[in-house]
């Protein structure tokens, strides 16, 4: 069975502090994993993806995620939050081509 | 690359009217997905096509919803008759055999009064 759990529905950080958005998955296969960001009233934009190459994946806007198979996790991090990072973030697992399972989303609030 | 194009961006209609949403996938992509997003239910997959053929329509809510993909560059999602509970943002996404992941359009915000 495939599933994605985003452990926090809301995360609030101060500008300039680190961001950690947690994602755990279960998959019967060796999946591809993705993080998408959705700014208010916008579509979903691909931040980064893991496809069984390097376990530490760098994405756009300074975000990165580390695939940890032993922990079945794919947490999203950024060293220093910016006000423009305020958005909703979705973790997605793809156990095979064209099959995608979305997490329920984490809303990131960045305080000045 | 123009990305996935959706039209209209906003649609306001009255209950009982027919609504048609349109999507143009990224050129060269052969998979197309329709999603619906609401506050209550989050993001839901409605249907996906591969090479213009519907592969999985298990997410289509009921017979009022229908989707077509007459060619590789165009798809429609039709709701007839529309109901207030259909109010949502509808996203189209595309992918391809040599593409890992999906690319989303900007969405159509549908309001049914």
């Amino acid at each position: 069975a495939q599933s994605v759990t985003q452990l926090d529905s809301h995360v609030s950080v101060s500008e300039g502090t680190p961001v950690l958005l947690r994602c755990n998955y279960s998959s019967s296969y060796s999946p591809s994993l993705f993080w998408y960001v959705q700014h208010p009233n916008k579509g979903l934009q691909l931040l980064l993806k893991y496809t069984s190459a390097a376990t530490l994946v760098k994405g756009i806007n300074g975000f990165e995620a580390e695939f940890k198979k032993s922990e079945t996790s794919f947490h999203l991090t950024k060293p220093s939050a910016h006000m423009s990072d305020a958005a909703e973030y979705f973790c997605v697992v793809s156990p095979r081509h064209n099959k995608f399972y979305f997490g329920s989303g984490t809303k990131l609030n960045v305080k000045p | 690359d123009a990305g996935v194009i959706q039209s209209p961006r906003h649609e306001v209609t009255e209950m009982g009217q027919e609504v048609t949403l349109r999507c143009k996938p990224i050129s060269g992509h052969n998979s197309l997905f329709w999603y619906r997003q609401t506050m209550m239910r989050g993001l839901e997959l409605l249907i996906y096509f591969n090479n213009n053929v519907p592969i999985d329509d298990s997410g289509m809510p009921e017979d009022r919803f229908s989707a077509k993909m007459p060619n590789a560059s165009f798809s429609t999602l039709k709701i007839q008759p529309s109901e207030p509970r259909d109010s949502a943002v509808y996203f189209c996404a595309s992918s391809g055999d040599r593409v890992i992941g999906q690319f989303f359009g900007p969405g159509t915000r549908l309001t049914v009064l």
Side-chain angles (χ1 to χ4, degrees):
Chain A
Q2 331 297 325
S3 70
V4 183
T5 302
Q6 291 185 240
L7 295 147
D8 307 295
S9 59
H10 291 81
V11 169
S12 186
V13 301
S14 296
E15 191 175 21
T17 65
V19 176
L20 170 64
L21 305 183
R22 297 182 294 168
C23 173
N24 285 93
Y25 70 92
S26 68
S27 177
S28 306
Y29 307 89
S30 295
S32 296
L33 294 154
F34 309 84
W35 276 99
Y36 285 85
V37 60
Q38 185 179 27
H39 287 92
N41 300 312
K42 300 289 186 184
L44 280 76
Q45 180 186 14
L46 180 64
L47 264 184
L48 49 78
K49 60 186 175 187
Y50 165 78
T51 57
S52 75
T55 56
L56 182 62
V57 182
K58 294 188 184 299
I60 61 172
N61 301 334
F63 283 94
E64 60 183 40
E66 186 171 8
F67 172 69
K68 292 188 177 180
K69 186 174 181 179
S70 61
E71 299 177 9
T72 59
S73 70
F74 191 56
H75 301 333
L76 182 70
T77 60
K78 182 172 180 177
S80 176
H82 192 271
M83 295 298 292
S84 61
D85 295 327
E88 188 162 18
Y89 293 78
F90 293 91
C91 182
V92 180
V93 63
S94 176
R96 58 184 186 276
H97 188 59
N98 280 342
K99 201 69 178 175
F100 300 92
Y101 296 87
F102 281 74
S104 53
T106 298
K107 289 186 177 169
L108 176 64
N109 179 46
V110 182
K111 298 175 290 187
Chain B
D1 188 347
V4 176
I5 299 172
Q6 291 187 247
S7 64
R9 294 294 310 277
H10 301 272
E11 176 81 34
V12 180
T13 190
E14 293 190 344
M15 183 174 64
Q17 296 299 305
E18 177 179 297
V19 174
T20 299
L21 311 181
R22 297 172 177 79
C23 175
K24 178 177 167 53
I26 292 172
S27 177
H29 285 191
N30 62 345
S31 296
L32 184 140
F33 306 77
W34 281 103
Y35 290 88
R36 177 172 69 176
Q37 186 178 41
T38 61
M39 291 289 290
M40 292 295 293
R41 301 170 70 95
L43 199 63
E44 304 172 276
L45 176 66
L46 299 177
I47 186 170
Y48 108 82
F49 294 85
N50 186 247
N51 294 324
N52 312 337
V53 176
I55 303 300
D56 181 359
D57 65 354
S58 58
M60 294 287 265
E62 48 199 272
D63 292 346
R64 298 185 297 107
F65 285 69
S66 62
K68 294 182 179 179
M69 192 162 186
N71 58 62
S73 59
F74 183 65
S75 176
T76 59
L77 178 68
K78 187 176 293 186
I79 309 172
Q80 165 65 17
S82 58
E83 296 182 4
R85 61 192 167 122
D86 302 330
S87 297
V89 181
Y90 291 81
F91 288 103
C92 177
S94 72
S95 184
D97 288 342
R98 299 183 186 279
V99 176
I100 299 174
Q102 301 170 301
F103 293 82
F104 282 80
T108 295
R109 182 173 296 276
L110 173 65
T111 303
V112 183
L113 302 173

